[in-house]
């Protein structure tokens, strides 16, 4: 148990579906992240929220839409996805301090997404 | 461009020692992380090196040479539960984490 919970753990969706991934952290952290993990590829950072404001969006297609309603919750809304979007989507959190390099990330177990 | 290289897969024997290497070419350097990820589970933090040298933590040690752009993770007295992927990541000058593709370690009895 890492203190970061992701639901659902598995999701199969068609290209025309709309679904959402949910992440909740119980660690009191002030930053949350969405990563994409594909087989044999490095983790790809998708979105970063610090203090509930999006601070980074690494040119992710608009069919992925993040939402961070508070510091404990993070969503990834999915719409009109492509088969190549099939991957493990990992949520992470960390505690960011002013003037201090980013520290350890705490990851959830991921949501395995399959797009048919 | 920025790049992290680590072997795709390694095999070792229970009770033995294994060294997983990571070389990096990044825009600046603010530290190097190692994470462990068991199949179907969350990556978990193992170590952080920002200064040259060896840091030991139980059966696991991590080494860094900034001049060579090189790190390794040393696992001693291997156990079956050490079968996992090991991810190397570097914090660059913009405090962005640059990740390697991970090394899958297979432990055989």
């Amino acid at each position: 148990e890492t203190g970061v919970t992701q639901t659902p753990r598995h999701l199969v969706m068609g290209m025309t579906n709309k679904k959402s991934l949910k992440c909740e952290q119980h660690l009191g952290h002030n930053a949350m992240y969405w990563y994409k993990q594909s087989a044999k590829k490095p983790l790809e950072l998708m979105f970063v929220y610090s203090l509930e404001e999006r601070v980074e969006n690494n040119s992710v297609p608009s069919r992925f839409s993040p939402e961070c309603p508070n510091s404990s919750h993070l969503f990834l809304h999915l719409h009109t996805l492509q088969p190549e979007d099939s991957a493990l989507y990992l949520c992470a959190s960390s505690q960011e301090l002013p003037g201090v390099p980013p520290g350890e990330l705490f990851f959830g177990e991921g949501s395995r997404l399959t797009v048919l | 461009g920025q790049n992290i290289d680590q072997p795709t897969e390694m095999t070792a024997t229970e009770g033995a020692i294994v060294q997983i290497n990571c070389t990096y070419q990044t825009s600046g350097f603010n530290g190097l992380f190692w994470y462990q990820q068991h199949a179907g589970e969350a990556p978990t933090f193992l170590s952080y090196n920002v200064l040259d040298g060896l840091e030991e933590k139980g059966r696991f040690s991590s080494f860094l040479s900034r001049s060579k752009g090189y790190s390794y993770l040393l696992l001693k007295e291997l156990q079956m539960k050490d079968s996992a992927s090991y991810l190397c990541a570097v914090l660059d000058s913009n405090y962005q984490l640059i990740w390697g593709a991970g090394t899958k370690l297979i432990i055989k009895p």
Side-chain angles (χ1 to χ4, degrees):
Chain A
E1 176 59 53
T2 63
V4 180
T5 304
Q6 289 187 242
T7 54
R9 292 293 311 278
H10 300 272
L11 178 63
V12 179
M13 59 187 290
M15 288 192 282
T16 58
N17 291 158
K18 283 174 122 173
K19 297 285 184 183
S20 295
L21 306 181
K22 179 183 175 182
C23 176
E24 183 174 358
Q25 58 100 356
H26 311 276
L27 301 168
H29 288 165
N30 58 10
M32 296 187 76
Y33 310 76
W34 279 117
Y35 277 94
K36 178 182 179 182
Q37 187 174 38
S38 302
K40 300 185 179 179
K41 288 188 176 179
L43 286 177
E44 297 175 46
L45 179 63
M46 300 176 73
F47 301 102
V48 180
Y49 278 83
S50 180
L51 298 173
E52 299 155 47
E53 286 193 16
R54 190 158 75 191
V55 298
E56 188 160 342
N57 173 352
N58 283 348
S59 302
V60 177
S62 59
R63 57 187 184 267
F64 295 92
S65 173
E67 179 189 359
C68 187
N70 56 61
S71 60
S72 299
H73 293 87
L74 185 64
F75 294 88
L76 187 62
H77 303 301
L78 316 170
H79 177 49
T80 323
L81 294 191
Q82 304 298 310
E84 60 264 29
D85 296 323
S86 297
L88 183 68
Y89 289 84
L90 289 166
C91 173
S93 70
S94 67
Q95 184 63 20
E96 302 304 311
L97 300 171
V100 177
E104 175 187 351
L105 293 175
F106 291 77
F107 286 89
E109 293 185 320
S111 294
R112 172 70 62 186
L113 173 66
T114 302
V115 182
L116 302 176
Chain B
Q2 309 206 82
N3 194 50
I4 308 282
D5 283 316
Q6 45 181 138
T8 302
E9 187 173 298
M10 298 182 71
T11 302
T13 304
E14 190 177 15
I17 299 174
V18 71
Q19 178 176 309
I20 302 174
N21 295 326
C22 171
T23 57
Y24 61 89
Q25 292 148 335
T26 56
S27 305
F29 178 85
N30 278 299
L32 185 144
F33 293 84
W34 284 98
Y35 284 81
Q36 179 190 59
Q37 185 178 22
H38 286 102
E41 296 185 14
T44 55
F45 170 82
L46 286 178
S47 66
Y48 171 69
N49 293 66
V50 66
L51 299 176
D52 289 350
L54 186 69
E55 300 244 351
E56 297 186 65
K57 200 186 285 187
R59 294 189 298 113
F60 291 13
S61 303
S62 56
F63 171 83
L64 175 67
S65 168
R66 288 172 297 172
S67 62
K68 294 182 179 178
Y70 168 70
S71 172
Y72 67 73
L73 183 68
L74 190 71
L75 291 74
K76 301 177 184 176
E77 300 168 21
L78 286 169
Q79 302 176 10
M80 298 304 292
K81 67 179 182 179
D82 297 329
S83 292
S85 288
Y86 292 85
L87 312 179
C88 173
V90 170
L91 207 54
D92 71 7
S93 58
N94 293 319
Y95 297 121
Q96 303 300 308
L97 263 180
I98 311 301
W99 293 85
T103 299
K104 182 178 180 181
L105 177 63
I106 299 167
I107 309 298
K108 296 187 173 178

